Amino acid sequence: MTVTPSASRAAGILARPVTLNGLTVPNRIVMAPMTRQFSPGGIPGEDVVSYYARRAAAGVGLIVTEGTYVGHESAGQSSRVPRFHGEEQLAGWAGVVEAVHAAGGTIMPQLWHIGMVRRQGQPPFADAPAVGPSGLRLDGAEGTGRAMTQQDLDDVIGAFAAAAAEAERIGFDGVELHGAHGYLLDQFLWAGTNRRADAYGGDPVARTKFAAEIVAAVRKAVSPHFPVVFRYSQWKQEAYDARLARTPQELESILTPLAAAGVDVFHASTRRYWLPEFEGSDLNLAGWTKKLTGRQVITVGSVGLDGDFLRGFQGEGAPVKEIDNLLDRLERDEFDLVAVGRALLQDPEWAAKVLTDRFDEVKPYDAAALKTLS
């Protein structure tokens, strides 16, 4: 068998363990959160258990689950997306944790509230309104939602904190807060959807207040050694060119309050990890995040595939792409961990193949098989 340069390097660079607060992850490979809607009633069943355990057994160091709705009625809009509240739902997640640990992996749930993305009348709570900072959708339309009151804010903060406490109770190794891609926390961070005139709106620091309060509440609800990860992005689902920050200074003003509130690790979501974030530097968004905050960082964005992931969910496949550029950046500590999405969705053995010099066996992404992958 011919070993590619990427594979031989990967075995050394990606296999290094890393400690995130009180958690030691056996290698640098993270499974990125990917919504699949395979949990009827919001309950992860045995197929979900197998899905995650299979990838842990094949060498993924840290699994971040698909987004899970926190205990607030406006948090989601699907009865098949898993929830992170309720006796049956949490029992299902406990089974996932047990299986992943038995396979040698570590795992965190991604805690999620979709905010103004919600469409009126959708399950799991059809009467719940869409809520957000100003009642605006990502395209600026007022839609059918409403601006959040202080009671709404307090309720959502409490829901995130309660979910984090439950995650630790049932054995998860940390939590990730979904503050990216135009969902609720991101709607507060972005000037395009946050038009509030109170303490939660205005300049970048004020727009960070709600997310920082959630982080602080989560930090207080869990043990000091329990890792708290915050995922954020510049781009939004309906606004790919959107920017929270147009300069490193603006980005620093947003990230600093979050770090101070208790974020241990930032998960900087980009569509293509190899693109520089700001002019005058080759650093990507994760690299800038680490430079500005000193916190550990996960990078993500079309790792191992040549093709944008959004197009993948529109039915387009993607061939395998070398990872030498990724390894160069990881070797010089631009970031600390690497999240892999579609490549792991397609090929559960991706981590094992990369870590054992079998990169030439990695499968290309087949979007047509998306609904049947396990």
Side-chain angles (χ1 to χ4, degrees), residues 147-346:
M148 295 174 73
T149 65
Q150 185 63 54
Q151 186 62 58
D152 293 327
L153 300 174
D154 293 343
D155 289 346
V156 171
I157 291 169
F160 273 92
E166 292 284 22
E168 185 173 26
R169 179 184 67 81
I170 63 178
F172 277 95
D173 299 298
V175 291
E176 177 171 286
L177 311 180
H178 197 343
H181 307 162
Y183 296 115
L184 181 63
L185 276 64
D186 194 22
Q187 290 161 22
F188 273 83
L189 296 176
W190 187 39
T193 43
N194 186 343
R195 309 289 177 81
R196 296 176 75 97
D198 62 3
Y200 293 93
D203 64 25
V205 174
R207 297 197 304 272
T208 306
K209 179 177 172 61
F210 179 54
E213 288 184 352
I214 288 176
V215 171
V218 165
R219 182 78 275 164
K220 185 177 180 180
V222 299
S223 301
H225 64 272
F226 196 68
V228 176
V229 180
F230 190 91
R231 195 180 211 210
Y232 84 100
S233 67
Q234 297 265 41
W235 66 273
K236 322 301 170 197
Q237 285 191 74
E238 298 177 17
Y240 300 148
D241 295 330
R243 293 289 181 269
L244 294 181
R246 298 192 176 277
T247 67
Q249 293 74 27
E250 288 182 359
L251 185 61
E252 185 175 22
S253 70
I254 293 167
L255 298 179
T256 297
L258 296 171
V263 171
D264 296 300
V265 182
F266 285 99
H267 188 171
S269 178
T270 57
R271 297 168 66 197
R272 303 172 182 88
Y273 77 85
W274 55 86
L275 296 181
E277 189 58 39
F278 301 113
E279 290 186 9
S281 170
D282 289 334
L283 291 176
N284 71 2
L285 185 62
W288 273 108
T289 301
K290 185 171 184 178
K291 179 177 181 178
L292 295 171
T293 67
R295 295 293 195 267
Q296 289 165 302
V297 181
I298 304 168
T299 197
V300 69
S302 300
V303 172
L305 293 175
D306 189 7
D308 188 89
F309 83 96
L310 292 167
R311 293 177 182 173
F313 287 94
Q314 296 168 358
E316 294 187 21
V320 173
K321 180 182 176 67
E322 55 80 21
I323 57 171
D324 284 311
N325 180 274
L326 179 79
L327 298 176
D328 290 343
R329 292 166 181 264
L330 189 59
E331 195 169 32
R332 62 177 180 253
D333 294 325
E334 183 174 330
F335 36 75
D336 302 279
L337 299 105
V338 176
V340 183
R342 287 171 299 150
L344 262 174
L345 188 65
Q346 174 72 46

Side-chain angles (χ1 to χ4, degrees), residues 55-219:
R55 285 154 179 82
V60 174
L62 171 63
I63 289 171
V64 181
T65 74
E66 61 211 277
T68 68
Y69 298 150
V70 297
H72 185 261
E73 289 192 349
S74 297
Q77 63 176 0
S78 171
S79 61
R80 295 184 59 84
V81 167
R83 303 204 291 272
F84 214 83
H85 59 98
E87 184 175 348
E88 289 184 274
Q89 288 80 5
L90 293 175
W93 280 120
V96 172
V97 172
E98 182 179 5
V100 167
H101 285 168
T106 62
I107 184 169
M108 301 180 181
Q110 186 187 72
L111 305 180
W112 190 23
H113 192 302
I114 70 172
M116 287 299 301
V117 173
R118 174 174 166 75
R119 297 291 178 179
Q120 194 70 30
Q122 296 297 306
F125 303 102
D127 294 336
V131 296
S134 304
L136 299 176
R137 298 195 179 279
L138 296 181
D139 60 4
E142 293 187 9
T144 58
R146 60 176 173 79
M148 295 174 73
T149 65
Q150 185 63 54
Q151 186 62 58
D152 293 327
L153 300 174
D154 293 343
D155 289 346
V156 171
I157 291 169
F160 273 92
E166 292 284 22
E168 185 173 26
R169 179 184 67 81
I170 63 178
F172 277 95
D173 299 298
V175 291
E176 177 171 286
L177 311 180
H178 197 343
H181 307 162
Y183 296 115
L184 181 63
L185 276 64
D186 194 22
Q187 290 161 22
F188 273 83
L189 296 176
W190 187 39
T193 43
N194 186 343
R195 309 289 177 81
R196 296 176 75 97
D198 62 3
Y200 293 93
D203 64 25
V205 174
R207 297 197 304 272
T208 306
K209 179 177 172 61
F210 179 54
E213 288 184 352
I214 288 176
V215 171
V218 165
R219 182 78 275 164

